[in-house]
Amino acid sequence: MKKVFCMCAGLFMLAATAQAGLVQPFGIGARNAALGEAVSAHATDAFAVYYNPAGLSNIKTPTLSAGTAIYDAQAYYRDYKIVDSKGEDRTRELGIQNTYWKTDKDPIINPHMGFAMPVNERISFGIAAYAPYGFRMKTEKDPFHRPTGFNAWESYYTRVAVTPAISYKVNERLSLGFGVSMGRSEAGGGKTSLYDPIQLGILKEIEKTQGIPVNKESLKQIGIYEHIDKSEQGGKFITSEMEMDDSINWSWNAGIQYQPTDKLSLGLTYRSRTPGNFKGDFIHNGQAIGKVVMDYDHPEAIQAGMRYAFTENFAMSFDMVWANWSIGKHQAEYVTIHTIPDETMAFINKVAFGAVSIDRGMTAEQIAASPGAMADVEATKNQMIDGIKKTKDMGYRRDWDNKIQYKLAMEYVLNNNFTFLAGYVYDPTPVPADTFDNIWPDNDRHVMTAGFSANVTTNWTIDFAFQHIRTFDWGYRDDINGTSEHLNKVASDLLLEKDAKMYIKNKGYLWGYNLTANYRF
């Protein structure tokens, strides 16, 4: 048995390094994926440590499970446009070529593995490595071809966890379980800006203090507009990125499994909130110029389900999962810049001269010849530098809604060696239209699953699941019609005017293939 534990430890280390490109898993283990995760009342493998640790009591012999899921996702966007405060479409004027596009397919591999065994007649033990949740979106950086890149061309939030758990069989009908998860999380993203965001921030501060409007006409009049660093179609891009991680975090889960009759099983699982304390780098045009801190937790969830065996060969399950998404009121991202790029320093110098020129009514040559005016220039520059280096919250209002997932599954035992599995999940998005963006481009999802469990030999069992996910009631999400404050802010920054709006429709598809091999000792 010591060899088994050593083998598990090695596999878990492999899993932790292989999770770099995961998406939301939609099922940990092929059997659970094929059943649409409606398994809280009858968890039967090592991944019960996640779904319901009380289900470890169902395992009668030491079992090692290992496998992987391959996801192939694609998102579609259409009817993209930028509208100014007068209601005029300015999309083409900005040089944006595409108003309809789709993302490239980029298959993602997400492994999972676990081991479970009965310790004695009442206690069972399990341990598993998996990704309990995650999200990753990435497309090309050129926003003139993929305009959502002005908001985000990359966004990710992932966690990999190792969870040991135990179950205690109170009697033949009631079991209790508890597990503790140790995880590592990563988060970050990137976007391309039409105007350098640091320089644009300087101008917005001047607008507050000196009343100089941040629009093309005013900036051209004072000779500043031509000095703003800009992205160019087919040329250079002004990019901002954040790369963060939370090296270790903890959560726990507990469950009850109760079988009031021989045909009916009930399950209840609580998964605790996972604190996310992220730290990392703020990267401007490929150069790490600052630090970023983000506190953003993953919510607690409650999963409740029932399974009814109509016959010895046919059973159905129904689960509901409530998640406390309302904890996501605000996504705080505290950025502290410690290195000011050379082009920004040159811009600061130009703006300082311009501000003093307006204030004193002097030309640049007159300012250079006046010690008093030059002192004002230096004071203005230092004020702007101090403002840039001051820690700022560059985060977003979220105000997500609590939601309930609905999961339905069926099992049909064809013979002693083959069981057919199928499921359906309705997963409503917690993201409202007014805080939707490409950082969290979440939609309602319909998840359709089918698969099988096959006994290959006395010891080996193979589980397989196919998944097809479609978003937002079989069509495009069409409520992002100038309603998102985050996308509207992007539109206003692009046009350098207030009250601009962004319109977009999107949908997505995902195909998943999940295979798990189980060996019973």
Side-chain angles (χ1 to χ4, degrees):
M1 192 58 63
K2 186 180 294 185
K3 292 182 179 180
V4 172
F5 279 106
C6 291
M7 180 169 58
C8 286
L11 290 172
F12 295 154
M13 291 177 65
L14 174 64
T17 59
Q19 295 278 2
L22 58 92
V23 297
Q24 182 170 331
F26 299 110
I28 303 166
R31 178 181 175 83
N32 302 317
L35 292 170
E37 301 182 286
V39 296
S40 66
H42 192 64
T44 59
D45 57 23
F47 306 109
V49 300
Y50 173 77
Y51 290 109
N52 188 344
L56 292 170
S57 296
N58 296 323
I59 296 173
K60 306 304 181 185
T61 184
T63 303
L64 177 66
S65 301
T68 190
I70 300 175
Y71 296 110
D72 193 2
Q74 194 162 36
Y76 293 77
Y77 297 85
R78 60 174 290 183
D79 298 344
Y80 179 93
K81 62 180 178 180
I82 302 293
V83 176
D84 63 19
S85 57
K86 298 178 181 178
E88 297 180 2
D89 188 344
R90 304 277 294 277
T91 311
R92 298 297 182 185
E93 178 185 321
L94 290 167
I96 295 173
Q97 300 176 2
N98 295 338
T99 59
Y100 169 87
W101 69 95
K102 61 182 179 180
T103 60
D104 297 329
K105 291 184 178 180
D106 187 14
I108 296 170
I109 298 175
N110 185 17
H112 52 266
M113 49 199 68
F115 175 78
M117 60 175 288
V119 177
N120 55 41
E121 291 183 356
R122 291 190 178 274
I123 297 175
S124 296
F125 169 80
I127 185 169
Y130 54 90
Y133 52 81
F135 163 76
R136 184 178 293 272
M137 179 282 302
K138 188 173 184 179
T139 185
E140 63 177 283
K141 295 182 180 181
D142 185 351
F144 299 101
H145 291 92
R146 301 288 186 269
T148 47
F150 282 124
N151 176 235
W153 43 258
E154 181 179 28
S155 179
Y156 59 92
Y157 181 89
T158 65
R159 186 187 188 218
V160 179
V162 175
T163 303
I166 61 170
S167 68
Y168 179 76
K169 183 183 290 187
V170 179
N171 54 49
E172 290 302 317
R173 295 194 178 275
L174 177 65
S175 295
L176 309 175
F178 180 81
V180 177
S181 296
M182 179 181 69
R184 182 181 186 277
S185 301
E186 294 182 345
K191 68 176 182 178
T192 299
S193 301
L194 187 59
Y195 304 102
D196 187 302
I198 301 176
Q199 298 173 17
L200 192 59
I202 293 172
L203 296 177
K204 289 182 177 180
E205 286 299 317
I206 292 176
E207 181 180 40
K208 293 178 182 178
T209 58
Q210 299 187 22
I212 301 175
V214 181
N215 57 56
K216 286 185 180 181
E217 291 72 21
S218 297
L219 297 179
K220 285 179 178 178
Q221 287 178 4
I222 61 176
I224 294 296
Y225 180 76
E226 60 269 25
H227 295 282
I228 303 176
D229 201 9
K230 308 176 186 69
S231 287
E232 299 173 358
Q233 184 174 334
K236 67 175 182 179
F237 299 131
I238 310 300
T239 61
S240 303
E241 299 172 68
M242 295 182 182
E243 295 179 353
M244 300 171 284
D245 66 68
D246 182 11
S247 57
I248 187 168
N249 47 53
W250 299 88
S251 61
W252 59 273
N253 58 355
I256 301 172
Q257 191 168 284
Y258 177 58
Q259 189 174 4
T261 71
D262 291 341
K263 292 180 177 291
L264 178 64
S265 298
L266 305 174
L268 180 66
T269 306
Y270 174 81
R271 291 187 279 271
S272 76
R273 184 180 304 189
T274 304
N277 303 306
F278 296 88
K279 296 179 181 179
D281 293 323
F282 178 74
I283 302 167
H284 179 76
N285 285 343
Q287 177 187 2
I289 65 169
K291 294 295 182 181
V292 59
V293 175
M294 181 177 77
D295 293 330
Y296 204 68
D297 298 346
H298 193 79
E300 57 267 57
I302 298 173
Q303 181 168 353
M306 60 179 291
R307 178 182 184 270
Y308 190 81
F310 292 89
T311 68
E312 291 184 357
N313 296 74
F314 180 72
M316 294 190 70
S317 302
F318 177 71
D319 279 35
M320 295 188 297
V321 181
W322 173 86
N324 187 23
W325 290 110
S326 62
I327 66 170
K329 295 292 184 183
H330 181 74
Q331 182 177 335
E333 298 173 352
Y334 297 102
V335 176
T336 304
I337 293 176
H338 53 65
T339 302
I340 299 178
D342 292 340
E343 62 271 18
T344 301
M345 286 301 301
F347 181 77
I348 288 173
N349 189 66
K350 182 67 179 179
V351 171
F353 266 89
V356 173
S357 175
I358 293 172
D359 185 54
R360 286 177 170 255
M362 300 170 65
T363 65
E365 291 77 12
Q366 291 171 330
I367 292 173
S370 169
M374 284 302 298
D376 287 349
V377 169
E378 289 301 316
T380 303
K381 287 168 59 176
N382 290 334
Q383 184 179 9
M384 286 188 282
I385 291 171
D386 290 342
I388 291 173
K389 291 187 174 182
K390 183 179 179 181
T391 299
K392 300 179 182 66
D393 181 4
M394 297 177 63
Y396 304 84
R397 181 178 72 88
R398 290 301 177 197
D399 282 337
W400 288 358
D401 302 319
N402 294 337
K403 292 293 181 179
I404 297 176
Q405 297 177 339
Y406 301 91
K407 304 171 181 287
L408 182 66
M410 59 154 287
E411 308 167 56
Y412 180 72
V413 180
L414 186 64
N415 53 48
N416 291 334
N417 294 319
F418 190 90
T419 301
F420 176 74
L421 312 167
Y424 168 77
V425 180
Y426 174 61
D427 182 12
T429 177
V431 180
D434 61 335
T435 62
F436 175 92
D437 55 25
N438 212 44
I439 299 172
W440 293 98
D442 198 62
N443 285 325
D444 292 349
R445 283 184 287 265
H446 301 270
V447 185
M448 292 148 284
T449 65
F452 63 82
S453 180
N455 296 323
V456 181
T457 68
T458 304
N459 301 97
W460 284 98
T461 300
I462 299 296
D463 300 328
F464 174 79
F466 169 77
Q467 299 164 291
H468 178 56
I469 294 92
R470 302 173 67 96
T471 63
F472 222 83
D473 296 332
W474 313 96
Y476 284 86
R477 179 167 186 169
D478 59 1
D479 58 347
I480 315 301
N481 44 17
T483 53
S484 168
E485 66 177 63
H486 307 320
L487 297 183
N488 291 346
K489 180 181 181 301
V490 173
S492 293
D493 287 347
L494 290 173
L495 295 178
L496 290 182
E497 67 173 58
K498 293 180 172 60
D499 300 323
K501 296 184 183 299
M502 182 183 294
Y503 293 71
I504 193 170
K505 296 179 181 179
N506 82 318
K507 66 178 180 179
Y509 300 99
L510 184 145
W511 293 263
Y513 312 90
N514 201 316
L515 182 68
T516 304
N518 309 284
Y519 184 80
R520 293 176 175 83
F521 294 85

